[in-house]
């Protein structure tokens, strides 16, 4: 069973390589963790200057009281909102995987998620529901939420985010199956463009038994529904 | 009323006055130098009759960005966003990010498009004489703005009520939203003042309840907290019963 998941993960990586950018895929992944925390401090002035520029070109007066320190605050804010680039799954999971003879579904649902749309750099946020069927290895529950944090605190596309969370968990645990569902509101749709207030985008990723067995998938979807 | 034309500041002039001669959001910091070109009544709004107490007046004259300015500042905004992407450790050349600086720049201009509009213009053509003096309320108006401290979205709902004094306002005008970088407190006040000046009603009440992404996504990260601000003018401030009726009617 776990080899099947492994196959799917392999496929995902190679497909993603072709689909997104060819040579860039490895570069892209290198960039995913290319920002170390120590570098943040040193990059702050450049970000600050960029924000000052932005405010000026929007017609604002950067010397007025309310905006005096805004470039610095905005720079730190956006660094915080993209802090997922710092972290890798290994960093946070290493000591929280336990051998447990449990092979029933485990679901952690309603995990609040905040991310930035990579197309407009505007937030999108919502809830993540994760389910997995362990294969002798279970993970500390809050680690699932931390995995969501790592991948969501980046410039993202909801589809990719969903898949990254699912493959991240598969690689770490080799479970019998992983399912991830994300339901989010995109401010780029709500605040601009079509301006649809109440629309939500739902994406899902099913790996392993969740993909193969419709009943397992159904059970997950039922148990993680909004009550 | 010619005032609208003569108060248009081009972005070039903005750059000249970088040391603070700008009128924005009701903050007036210094003397205003008028450009030689353009149809402007000489000295009609000249410096002497501006002072910080004329905040209301100067706020009325905000228009610091035109559509042409938008076009012209787009490349620099996009360049700034590219710098930000690099500074965050991303690769601006990857497919998903290739046109992001442009999209982000246009989005930001949209979020702050209140700079192009003046509230008075928006309201002025929909004022009607009507012999109605009962409370009019438009509630649950969705509002989006940006926090001027972190440049992160704020969104929420605005409830507006007023007691007309022979003049009523087209309802959708109440719902026109002004996108600007604002304090929520200031936005509340500005909406109230705009309506007062346009209609001279017996009273105006504005309540805004909003979620600040800067609190939710970062910092204290309090998911469900909302900030509520209100401004009551005229009857709404003086007569507790009126205020009470308004507050009760906007509660859903």
């Amino acid at each position: 069973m776990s080899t099947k998941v492994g196959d799917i993960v392999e496929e995902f990586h190679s497909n993603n390589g072709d689909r997104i950018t060819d040579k860039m895929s490895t570069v892209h992944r290198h960039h995913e963790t290319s920002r170390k925390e120590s570098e943040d401090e040193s990059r702050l002035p450049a970000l600050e200057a960029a924000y000052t520029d932005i405010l000026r070109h929007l017609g604002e007066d950067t010397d007025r009281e309310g905006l005096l320190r805004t470039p610095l605050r905005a720079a730190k804010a956006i660094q915080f909102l993209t802090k997922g680039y710092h972290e890798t799954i290994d960093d946070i999971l290493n000591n929280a995987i336990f051998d447990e003879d449990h092979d029933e579904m485990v679901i952690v649902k309603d995990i609040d998620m905040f991310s930035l749309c990579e197309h407009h750099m505007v937030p999108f946020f919502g809830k993540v529901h994760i389910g997995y069927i362990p294969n002798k290895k279970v993970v500390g529950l809050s680690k699932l939420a931390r995995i969501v944090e790592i991948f969501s605190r980046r410039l993202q596309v909801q589809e990719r985010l969903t898949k990254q969370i699912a493959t991240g968990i598969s690689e770490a645990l080799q479970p019998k199956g992983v399912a991830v569902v994300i339901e989010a509101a995109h401010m780029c749709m709500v605040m601009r463009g079509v301006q649809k207030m109440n629309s939500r985008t739902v994406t899902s990723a099913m790996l392993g038994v969740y993909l193969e067995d419709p009943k397992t998938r159904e059970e997950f979807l039922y148990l993680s529904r909004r009550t | 009323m010619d005032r609208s034309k003569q108060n248009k500041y081009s972005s070039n002039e903005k750059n000249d006055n970088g040391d603070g001669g700008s009128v924005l959001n009701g903050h007036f910091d210094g003397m205003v130098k008028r450009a030689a070109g353009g149809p402007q009544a000489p000295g009609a709004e000249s410096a002497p009759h501006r002072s910080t107490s004329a905040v209301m007046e100067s706020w009325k004259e905000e228009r610091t960005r035109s559509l042409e300015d938008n076009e012209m500042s787009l490349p620099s905004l996009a360049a700034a966003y590219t710098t930000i992407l690099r500074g965050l450790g991303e690769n601006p050349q990857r497919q998903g990010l290739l046109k992001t600086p442009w999209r982000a720049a246009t989005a930001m201009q949209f979020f702050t498009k209140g700079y192009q509009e003046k509230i008075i213009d928006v309201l002025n053509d929909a004022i009607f004489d009507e012999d109605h003096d009962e409370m009019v309320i438009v509630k649950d108006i969705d509002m989006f703005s940006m926090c001027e401290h972190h440049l992160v979205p704020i969104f929420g709902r605005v409830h507006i009520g007023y007691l007309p004094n022979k003049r009523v306002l087209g309802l959708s005008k109440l719902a026109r939203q002004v996108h600007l970088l604002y304090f929520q407190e200031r936005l509340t006040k500005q909406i109230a003042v705009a309506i007062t000046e346009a209609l001279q009603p017996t009273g105006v009440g504005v309540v805004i309840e909003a979620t600040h992404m800067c609190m939710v996504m970062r910092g204290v990260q309090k998911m469900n907290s909302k900030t509520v601000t209100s401004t009551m003018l005229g009857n709404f401030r003086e007569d507790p019963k009126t205020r009470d009726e308004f507050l009760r009617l906007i509660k859903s």
Side-chain angles (χ1 to χ4, degrees):
Chain A
M1 276 301 178
S2 48
T3 47
K4 280 238 166 121
V5 176
D7 284 346
I8 293 176
V9 170
E10 268 310 300
E11 207 189 25
F12 167 67
H13 282 316
S14 60
N15 278 350
N16 245 6
D18 294 337
R19 213 177 339 119
I20 295 182
T21 44
D22 275 328
K23 288 182 294 180
M24 286 299 162
S25 65
T26 37
V27 176
H28 166 50
R29 265 191 275 143
H30 166 71
H31 273 273
E32 279 183 23
T33 50
S34 65
R35 210 176 90 205
K36 300 291 176 255
E37 221 155 331
S38 43
E39 290 179 1
D40 269 359
E41 279 287 325
S42 55
R43 303 217 190 193
L44 220 41
L47 290 174
E48 237 184 293
Y51 271 111
T52 313
D53 265 350
I54 289 176
L55 285 174
R56 287 223 182 92
H57 287 290
L58 290 175
E60 262 287 5
D61 168 19
T62 46
D63 291 321
R64 72 170 170 89
E65 193 211 352
L67 292 186
L68 264 182
R69 294 183 54 210
T70 293
L72 179 59
R73 283 186 292 239
K76 287 195 183 163
I78 203 161
Q79 280 188 332
F80 180 85
L81 298 177
T82 53
K83 70 182 171 71
Y85 288 119
H86 289 159
E87 299 151 346
T88 62
I89 297 210
D90 292 330
D91 294 338
I92 57 155
L93 277 190
N94 264 342
N95 38 12
I97 300 185
F98 309 102
D99 296 314
E100 191 76 31
D101 195 15
H102 181 91
D103 59 357
E104 298 287 339
M105 200 180 302
V106 177
I107 298 179
V108 180
K109 61 179 188 166
D110 292 330
I111 303 172
D112 287 305
M113 176 277 295
F114 299 96
S115 189
L116 278 178
C117 141
E118 74 175 13
H119 297 148
H120 300 92
M121 293 177 67
V122 165
F124 70 95
F125 48 87
K127 296 210 189 275
V128 184
H129 311 291
I130 300 178
Y132 76 104
I133 299 191
N135 187 12
K136 307 291 185 233
K137 286 201 255 184
V138 300
V139 70
L141 296 170
S142 75
K143 301 306 179 203
L144 292 173
R146 285 196 192 251
I147 293 181
V148 171
E149 278 283 297
I150 290 181
F151 290 117
S152 62
R153 298 274 181 194
R154 299 182 180 190
L155 290 169
Q156 272 289 8
V157 167
Q158 189 175 330
E159 297 85 332
R160 188 193 318 143
L161 174 59
T162 320
K163 202 100 200 225
Q164 280 179 322
I165 296 175
T167 48
I169 297 174
S170 312
E171 289 181 335
L173 297 181
Q174 285 92 45
K176 295 187 181 160
V178 182
V180 177
V181 169
I182 300 187
E183 181 179 327
H186 288 242
M187 291 288 101
C188 57
M189 265 181 80
V190 171
M191 285 175 77
R192 59 166 289 290
V194 286
Q195 298 193 53
K196 293 301 177 193
M197 220 61 61
N198 300 312
S199 103
R200 300 275 178 274
T201 306
V202 182
T203 51
S204 66
M206 305 285 168
L207 300 180
V209 284
Y210 287 98
L211 187 60
E212 290 146 23
D213 179 6
K215 282 205 146 17
T216 313
R217 202 184 317 163
E218 206 183 296
E219 183 184 343
F220 168 70
L221 293 174
Y222 179 75
L223 288 172
S224 64
R225 80 196 182 291
R226 184 181 310 199
T227 35
Chain B
M1 194 152 129
D2 256 312
R3 281 170 127 216
S4 51
K5 293 206 190 81
Q6 71 204 22
N7 295 327
K8 180 176 159 179
Y9 299 86
S10 71
S11 64
N12 290 333
E13 192 176 356
K14 266 241 69 3
N15 289 334
D16 292 341
N17 295 346
D19 56 356
S22 56
V23 179
L24 274 169
N25 306 347
H27 291 273
F28 184 74
D29 301 318
M31 311 257 288
V32 178
K33 287 182 281 189
R34 297 227 159 230
Q40 294 162 3
E45 316 296 330
S46 59
H49 99 95
R50 290 197 197 279
S51 62
T52 41
S53 66
V55 151
M56 298 310 179
E57 244 185 1
S58 55
W59 159 85
K60 235 200 283 181
E61 289 144 20
E62 300 168 32
R63 192 207 292 264
T64 56
R65 225 167 77 192
S66 66
L67 284 173
E68 297 86 54
D69 293 338
N70 274 358
E71 288 283 323
M72 287 185 340
S73 23
L74 216 45
S76 343
L77 282 173
Y81 272 108
T82 315
T83 316
I84 292 178
L85 286 176
R86 281 213 192 88
L88 294 176
E90 262 286 5
N91 170 20
Q93 302 305 316
R94 69 173 172 88
Q95 195 218 44
L97 293 186
L98 264 182
K99 293 178 63 191
T100 293
W102 294 91
R103 284 185 291 240
T106 346
M108 195 53 129
Q109 284 185 330
F110 180 84
F111 297 148
T112 54
K113 77 179 169 75
Y115 287 128
Q116 291 165 219
E117 302 160 353
K118 286 193 305 184
I119 299 184
I120 283 297
D121 282 346
V122 166
L123 294 181
N124 258 347
D125 25 336
I127 297 180
F128 308 102
D129 295 312
E130 190 77 29
D131 194 12
H132 182 92
D133 58 359
E134 298 288 337
M135 199 183 294
V136 178
I137 297 180
V138 182
K139 62 178 193 165
D140 291 333
I141 304 168
D142 288 305
M143 177 276 294
F144 302 101
S145 184
M146 290 215 105
C147 144
E148 71 176 12
H149 294 152
H150 300 93
L151 298 185
V152 163
I154 300 174
F155 50 86
R157 298 195 144 159
V158 184
H159 311 285
I160 303 178
Y162 73 105
L163 273 171
N165 185 13
K166 305 290 185 233
R167 294 165 89 185
V168 300
L169 188 62
L171 292 172
S172 78
K173 300 304 179 202
L174 287 174
R176 284 282 184 102
Q177 285 314 302
V178 181
H179 303 269
L180 280 178
L181 296 176
Y182 268 149
F183 273 122
Q184 186 174 329
E185 298 87 327
R186 200 184 317 145
L187 180 62
T188 322
K189 190 135 203 180
Q190 281 181 309
I191 296 177
V193 165
I195 295 173
T196 309
E197 298 194 329
L199 297 180
Q200 285 92 45
T202 330
V204 180
V206 178
V207 171
I208 298 187
E209 42 179 40
T211 309
H212 290 240
M213 288 277 97
C214 57
M215 267 181 78
V216 170
M217 288 178 77
R218 60 166 288 290
V220 286
Q221 298 194 57
K222 292 301 176 195
M223 222 57 63
N224 299 313
S225 100
K226 284 198 159 81
T227 308
V228 182
T229 51
S230 67
T231 299
M232 304 288 169
L233 299 178
N235 256 3
F236 282 74
R237 173 177 286 198
E238 286 142 31
D239 179 8
K241 287 213 158 64
T242 311
R243 198 183 323 160
D244 208 38
E245 181 185 345
F246 172 59
L247 293 174
R248 193 164 311 166
L249 287 171
I250 61 175
K251 207 185 289 266
S252 44

